Amino acid sequence: MADDVVLARLGQLETAVRKAGEALARLRDENAQLRREATKLGDDRRQVLAQIDALLKDIGKLDLE
């Protein structure tokens, strides 16, 4: 009886370890994707800021008085 309980518990632990490993792999993939997206957003932001700066300089050159 005790062996059956130990074997059942061992099976549960193996299942839990497998699921945890799968979750870890999935989270690593998601983390890598989020890092790529964050890098892209940062690049996009820098481009937009450069465009805004150029527009502001052009507006500053206009004689609006």
Side-chain angles (χ1 to χ4, degrees):
M1 179 72 172
D3 287 344
D4 291 341
V5 171
V6 170
L7 289 176
R9 183 66 179 139
L10 181 59
Q12 291 173 347
L13 289 172
E14 288 172 343
T15 300
V17 168
R18 180 183 49 78
K19 287 181 180 180
E22 291 169 356
L24 182 58
R26 186 176 61 253
L27 290 171
R28 283 182 177 154
D29 291 343
E30 290 176 10
N31 188 39
Q33 180 181 354
L34 289 171
R35 286 181 185 269
R36 286 190 298 272
E37 289 176 11
T39 298
K40 183 183 180 311
L41 289 173
D43 292 344
D44 291 348
R45 178 182 174 274
R46 281 186 283 282
Q47 288 177 0
V48 168
L49 288 175
Q51 291 172 352
I52 291 171
D53 285 342
L55 287 170
L56 290 174
K57 286 179 185 177
D58 288 345
I59 290 171
K61 291 176 185 177
L62 297 175
D63 186 18
L64 298 177
E65 293 180 27

